[in-house]
Amino acid sequence: MDTIVALCKRRGFVYASSEIYGGLNGFFDYGPLGSELRRNIRNAWWEDMVHRRDDIVGLDCSIISHPKVWEASGHIQGFSDPMVDCKESKQRYRADQLFFAPVRIHDGQLLTTGETTLETDSVIIKGDSQQSITGSITVIGYVSAIESERTNDELLDKAKDLKRKLGKRGELLALEVRDMTQVQPGEEKEIPSPATGKPGSLTPPRDFNLMFQTYVGALRDESGVAYLRPETAQGMFFNFKNVVDTTRVKLPFGVAQIGRSFRNEITPRNFIFRSREFEQMEMEYFIHPEADWQKEHRAWIDWCKNWLVSIGLPAEMLSEYDHPKAKLAFYSRGTTDIMFSYPFGVQELWGIAARGDYDLQQHIKHSGKMLEYFDEATKTKVIPHVIEPAVGVDRIFLAVLCSAYYEDVVEGEKRTVLRLHPRLAPIKAGIFPLVKNKPELLARAEGLYKKLKRRWNVFWDTGGAIGRRYRRMDEIGTPFCITVDFETIEKDGTVTLRERDSTKQVRLSEDELIAHLSREIDGV
Amino acid sequence: MDTIVALCKRRGFVYASSEIYGGLNGFFDYGPLGSELRRNIRNAWWEDMVHRRDDIVGLDCSIISHPKVWEASGHIQGFSDPMVDCKESKQRYRADQLFFAPVRIHDGQLLTTGETTLETDSVIIKGDSQQSITGSITVIGYVSAIESERTNDELLDKAKDLKRKLGKRGELLALEVRDMTQVQPGEEKEIPSPATGKPGSLTPPRDFNLMFQTYVGALRDESGVAYLRPETAQGMFFNFKNVVDTTRVKLPFGVAQIGRSFRNEITPRNFIFRSREFEQMEMEYFIHPEADWQKEHRAWIDWCKNWLVSIGLPAEMLSEYDHPKAKLAFYSRGTTDIMFSYPFGVQELWGIAARGDYDLQQHIKHSGKMLEYFDEATKTKVIPHVIEPAVGVDRIFLAVLCSAYYEDVVEGEKRTVLRLHPRLAPIKAGIFPLVKNKPELLARAEGLYKKLKRRWNVFWDTGGAIGRRYRRMDEIGTPFCITVDFETIEKDGTVTLRERDSTKQVRLSEDELIAHLSREIDGV
């Protein structure tokens, strides 16, 4: 992962946002190559999802919309994490990342119960053991720590410190560690704040909404409150009637959108995987309420998987995860995530949810407008159900880079190569005149360069030996290098096309070259 | 203008944002056709500005960045409008849109001075007349009104009302109308609030920042304040060193970006022309500090104008406006706007500013980082100057629709036609089988449709007479209609290509058709 992050910085794929000011946690800027890769991912998705299908149209909504949208969607009520404040330091903690334990000592004898032996110098997570003790137990205080790789060690150290400081005798009982979502009412007063080390300043967990809030208009009061969208999906629901009324769509049909979304994550992590500002590609596929939703759901899972493979992700790095029924929202029929093996673990890449008619019904309820579709076949009005494939551009971006990065050996030399699909590669081809000092050869190469540049983002390079020019292109994932050499000007006009991954070279005429590139890059 | 707005709604170009909740002033959603048109404008600009040039690279920054960016740029200090609050109604007004006048009566004789005759039943704007009066003048109160087409009439009516209500005798003196930016200290207490009609509740004008503010992270205090960018340009400045270090750009070079920006306009107006959320296309062209900036500035004005013409805006609807030196910021060398004749007046479309090295210097000062370029030729480090062409996607969108809209008569029938450039048209071609009931013909048409659909956004239509299908395509600006008929299947395989504006028809083979469309749509 460090290698990928370093490459991203070094070759201008991704920078920390406003880096000269120290950056801003959870925000990123995409550099010259990154902005092209991001754009190519967007364009590939839009072309395949919208243009090359008959049943899907596009939409492009504002990021800020009427606040009632988020009442209807449930985001104002439910899109939150429980947080604990330290009233003294003004620090705020995610309740599930702040751990604590009562520190107990005893003066009697430890007994073994069942298979568990009570150890005095250890930690028991969330009280999962059976214990039996003679003598008396005293709680001498609490310890707390923020989630880390050594939370438990830290808690144990703090417990020992506490015992020593208070000059208590007796043996330390194993710590029963909980997080703050499991705190008992009133117990928070006993727990030291990680910021001050002293108890008394922590609040009970309170819900903290993850939407960024702002004010629209001249007034900073309730009347002007608005939110940055935490997802693009709602746009397709509240515009459902507009789309049906102004196009000729027939069920089943989809509405697709690409755009920025914002979530005020308390702990953004894993580079661009979980950031606070990200780009989504979402599609709502509306189906007849009596359609076989499982079949449609499965079809979309397959479509998404095939699409990921088509842009170059290895099938063996993809897997599926079905959300357990018990964890789904009450209206949800089923959600399957396409998972990707990131360097930091197998994580969600693309979620495909069967959401019934919940979203349309919510907007009907909150807006008082009927969001219906007139079904010609049965001559009845229906409220369609929906299948929602939702993916993040940045997660695809990261998956693409992670799976494309290779180090191999070419002609006895180590090289770094990004095996990007030609469709996604920021630069499609490098155009090289073999030598710089031959005007006729230079002119010929420049003519070809200009011709190709009208079609694709190609790069002109006259600097250094051909081998070095190849390496520079390899490292940024340019799939093709085209060299104009003496054979081009003295013989048949053919040029050398060198392929990045195989490093194989073939000679092609200009027409053959353009046909080859069209096929490989544009698939036509 | 009303025609354009109605067409936008009817055919799915533009909807009010979250319309089912009553909309949100200054925000818009782009429907199926609008999202394609917007996308085509973006892509055309990016291709011509970045891909087809050697000297410009792209960038894609986050909308939220470190708040110090906006300190350095001057937006926190200076990006504001003066506002007046009504403390009673909590209404807020833009000071330059709230007008007032003292109401004066006199009991003497009016004299003429110079060429001005003082009329009693009229309004004098901002005291631009010379008056001379015998007898005494009494101020009996103030009147106020919000800017509208009949502000002056409204003020005069209110002045007459006031005189009548107070039972005053004598003649009403002409009103000397000012706006609230010209109010004298203390005078605001005399001016009635437009909301309540009573004086005493207005505040003096105070600056109101136009940036949308939010909080990043868990805390809602000073430490978490952040802003939605009011422009994309700063991203190019604070990433200047990143771009120089991670690419091989050589002066002069440009950095281009497309993205959403936000301004909390107090009075958004003219449909999508001045909205609160909009999409910008900005480019910073860095030049050597000793380069001839006027030549570069002129070259960019010409480039932008030519580009607008190339995407179909009529040259005669474009003009130039040079900002007067006196109104420029102290660091500015010069700003020229390309103006467009919108239905609501000649307005700014594209601003081209010569900004010296002000922006880089500001970020050097605020970040403490050196933002320099090493000039190989002179072996010295320089801080480049910049030319900035900045344009809004939505303003181009509106200009394109306004200039493309025509009503003409074809074959004795009135038709509505959008003469969109093929590059911008949401749908590039309609593919029509002449009849529905001939399987061979249908199959042939479908084959062609699928082939074209891999390349372009084309539309399949079997519904109704060919003439009706033409009309539907004309109204949404589809430049080509392709009909597969009996000649296609029975004779030479050629199809009919019908051109939207001329309505001329030619027969072409499939290969000729694809070559023709490539030329017209993609310019290759």
Side-chain angles (χ1 to χ4, degrees), chain A residues 188-410:
Chain A
E188 74 280 352
K189 294 194 189 75
E190 313 293 328
I191 300 166
S193 156
T196 64
K198 282 174 234 154
S201 66
L202 292 183
T203 66
R206 292 182 291 206
D207 280 337
F208 171 77
N209 198 291
L210 296 182
M211 286 195 292
F212 285 102
Q213 187 184 300
T214 190
Y215 295 96
V216 171
L219 294 178
R220 285 224 177 143
D221 67 7
E222 274 305 303
S223 72
V225 168
Y227 304 93
L228 306 194
R229 65 180 172 204
E231 60 171 45
T232 64
Q234 293 304 320
M236 282 76 109
F237 296 120
F238 62 69
N239 276 309
F240 176 80
K241 191 131 179 53
N242 272 335
V243 171
V244 168
D245 288 348
T246 61
T247 65
R248 292 161 75 197
V249 289
K250 301 258 171 284
L251 272 190
F253 69 89
V255 187
Q257 178 167 208
I258 299 180
R260 296 277 169 96
S261 292
F262 297 79
R263 294 179 188 178
N264 194 2
E265 299 281 353
I266 302 312
T267 45
R269 57 174 90 186
N270 291 328
F271 195 39
I272 56 174
F273 180 83
R274 187 179 304 282
S275 53
R276 284 167 166 162
E277 177 176 340
F278 50 101
E279 189 135 14
Q280 288 188 302
M281 306 196 288
E282 297 192 298
M283 195 275 294
E284 303 300 325
Y285 199 71
F286 296 100
I287 59 176
H288 195 283
E290 277 151 32
D292 180 349
W293 70 266
Q294 281 165 307
K295 203 177 123 201
E296 297 280 359
H297 188 225
R298 184 68 242 170
W300 275 108
I301 300 166
D302 293 339
W303 190 96
C304 297
K305 242 177 152 175
N306 290 338
W307 189 80
L308 290 172
V309 171
S310 85
I311 59 161
L313 293 190
E316 62 274 17
M317 295 180 86
L318 301 172
S319 53
E320 283 180 32
Y321 170 75
D322 295 322
H323 288 233
K325 286 271 173 224
K327 290 211 166 183
L328 292 175
F330 71 91
Y331 55 81
S332 177
R333 304 289 176 95
T335 296
T336 299
D337 290 341
I338 299 176
M339 313 291 283
F340 181 79
S341 302
Y342 289 98
F344 45 82
V346 174
Q347 295 277 345
E348 182 197 337
L349 173 55
W350 203 328
I352 298 101
R355 300 176 58 89
D357 61 0
Y358 177 75
D359 306 274
L360 286 179
Q361 292 285 15
Q362 283 296 104
H363 285 294
I364 291 169
K365 198 169 121 190
H366 283 81
S367 72
K369 303 280 193 307
M370 268 322 285
L371 308 177
E372 297 166 320
Y373 172 86
F374 182 74
D375 183 37
E376 289 285 349
T378 57
K379 302 283 177 207
T380 52
K381 288 181 181 171
V382 298
I383 295 164
H385 288 209
V386 78
I387 310 287
E388 175 187 281
V391 69
V393 176
D394 314 277
R395 292 191 176 186
I396 293 179
F397 187 108
L398 188 57
V400 160
L401 283 188
C402 290
S403 62
Y405 185 89
Y406 282 89
E407 291 172 5
D408 60 10
V409 174
V410 170

Side-chain angles (χ1 to χ4, degrees), chain B residues 230-275:
Chain B
E231 59 173 43
T232 65
Q234 294 303 319
M236 283 75 109
F237 296 120
F238 63 69
N239 277 309
F240 176 78
K241 190 128 179 52
N242 272 335
V243 171
V244 168
D245 288 348
T246 60
T247 65
R248 294 162 72 197
V249 290
K250 301 257 170 284
L251 273 188
F253 70 87
V255 187
Q257 179 167 208
I258 300 179
R260 295 279 169 96
S261 292
F262 297 79
R263 295 180 187 177
N264 195 2
E265 299 281 354
I266 303 311
T267 43
R269 57 173 92 184
N270 291 329
F271 195 38
I272 57 172
F273 180 81
R274 188 179 302 282
S275 53

Side-chain angles (χ1 to χ4, degrees), chain A residues 54 63 92 218 260 277 449, chain B residues 54 60 63 92 218 277 449:
Chain A
D54 296 323
I63 288 169
R92 185 169 276 182
R260 296 277 169 96
E277 177 176 340
Y449 168 66
Chain B
D54 296 324
D60 192 4
I63 287 169
R92 184 170 276 183
E277 176 177 340
Y449 168 66

